[in-house]
Amino acid sequence: MSDDHGAPGDLHEPILGWYADHARDLPWRHDDCSAWGVLVSEVMLQQTPVARVLPVWLEWMERWPTPRDLARAPAGDAVRAWGRLGYPRRALRLHQCAVAIVEQHGGEVPATEAELLTLPGVGTYTAAAVACFAHGERTVVVDTNVRRVEARAVTGAALPAAALTRAETALAATLVPADPEVARVWNVAVMELGALVCTARSPRCPDCPVAHLCAWRLAGSPAYDGPARKGQAWEGTDRQVRGAMLAVLRAADGPVGLADLATACPDDEVRRMRCLDGLVTDGLVEPLGRGRFTLPR
């Protein structure tokens, strides 16, 4: 952002004020939400809308309110409870996280980014988010929504780069307030602004608290001129077949046979077997012999 548009720190007050008035009331944001609840929410929310996550998160937390509760359960129960959230390997990763938390951290979710990064399947974003939102550590939390808000407001780009760059991370770091508690609110406020107002396809600029400072808007809202972005297909893909196979297994009271799984892709045996092999390799399906399969035990 140029000097004509104001300093980056000028974004703090309007965005924090907007969040105070418009934040969604989500249970993982409540002060009494456990660090485990925050971790579960962050894993579930990856590439998945809040509306789909909320009912599953509530059921999950009622059933497994602590890592120890989930660690005691079979991994297949986690996959079954994941339902149709998509990317079911995340359910396995959470189960593995629960086991690691119990075995290595006495059942308590680690408090620092460095410790969180040692957990199975926990990457840079999730570690920063949990350290910040659950433990109050001042971290740099950068997701797709944060990247989009800061790209537009500060650099004047319509959309951020296809993949996170060092420059974006450095920019986000300069914008995080020094006070840890304010930083905690800032991180979630920018995400919320990107999710509700500064959306990818139809940004609601008249409702934006920093429209008067936004470099992209002040430049006339130039169109995105970078490489074409491809959405993730679903219909007719291996992902769809894998999801259909898992749906058969989740609905079953016990092991199922190849004939039952064939309903997931009746007209393409090669694809069907490739997807089944992939599910077994990923640990989402356990072969029992004699052509029978089950969720992991």
Side-chain angles (χ1 to χ4, degrees), residues 9-274:
D10 293 341
L11 299 173
H12 290 164
E13 185 175 350
I15 289 179
L16 292 170
W18 174 87
Y19 181 74
D21 294 332
H22 296 91
R24 287 171 291 183
D25 182 19
L26 301 174
W28 47 82
R29 293 178 180 170
H30 294 178
D31 290 340
D32 61 353
C33 182
S34 67
W36 171 242
V38 173
L39 174 57
V40 172
S41 75
E42 289 297 340
V43 174
M44 288 185 172
L45 285 165
Q46 293 168 14
Q47 303 183 59
T48 309
V50 166
R52 291 179 59 196
V53 167
L54 183 56
V56 180
W57 184 89
L58 291 170
E59 293 173 5
W60 189 288
M61 295 307 299
E62 182 175 358
R63 185 173 183 179
W64 300 305
T66 71
R68 198 174 300 277
D69 294 317
L70 180 58
R72 291 191 185 114
D77 286 1
V79 176
R80 181 174 284 108
W82 198 257
R84 299 177 60 84
L85 280 184
Y87 303 98
R89 276 177 288 186
R90 291 181 293 168
L92 285 183
R93 296 294 178 267
L94 266 175
H95 187 272
Q96 292 164 358
C97 269
V99 172
I101 290 169
V102 171
E103 293 180 349
Q104 301 170 22
H105 301 279
E108 300 295 328
V109 175
T112 68
E113 282 186 272
E115 291 175 307
L116 286 160
L117 281 169
T118 68
L119 296 177
V122 172
T124 301
Y125 165 78
T126 303
V130 174
C132 178
F133 302 141
H135 296 296
E137 184 175 334
R138 182 185 179 275
T139 66
V140 182
V141 182
V142 185
D143 75 343
T144 300
N145 289 314
V146 171
R147 294 177 63 211
R148 188 169 55 253
V149 170
E150 294 181 354
R152 287 174 177 165
V154 181
T155 69
L159 292 172
L164 179 64
T165 66
R166 290 184 179 181
E168 287 178 282
T169 302
L171 171 61
T174 67
L175 290 171
V176 176
D179 180 84
E181 181 54 35
V182 179
R184 177 177 179 272
V185 181
W186 166 259
N187 282 327
V188 70
V190 181
M191 278 195 280
E192 192 80 331
L193 184 63
L196 300 183
V197 175
C198 193
T199 57
R201 295 185 179 180
S202 303
R204 294 164 36 214
C205 295
D207 298 325
C208 179
V210 292
H212 62 296
L213 297 172
C214 177
W216 178 64
R217 185 171 179 272
L218 293 172
S221 304
Y224 173 71
D225 60 359
R229 300 192 174 211
K230 297 180 180 180
Q232 289 187 318
W234 170 255
E235 293 292 334
T237 65
D238 284 5
R239 282 186 60 219
Q240 184 183 32
V241 174
R242 285 164 56 103
M245 286 183 168
L246 286 176
V248 171
L249 287 160
R250 284 196 301 267
D253 293 330
V256 303
L258 283 173
D260 299 304
L261 294 174
T263 61
C265 186
D267 302 323
D268 191 337
E269 183 179 3
V270 173
R271 168 173 281 180
R272 184 168 69 244
M273 296 311 297
R274 179 176 69 240

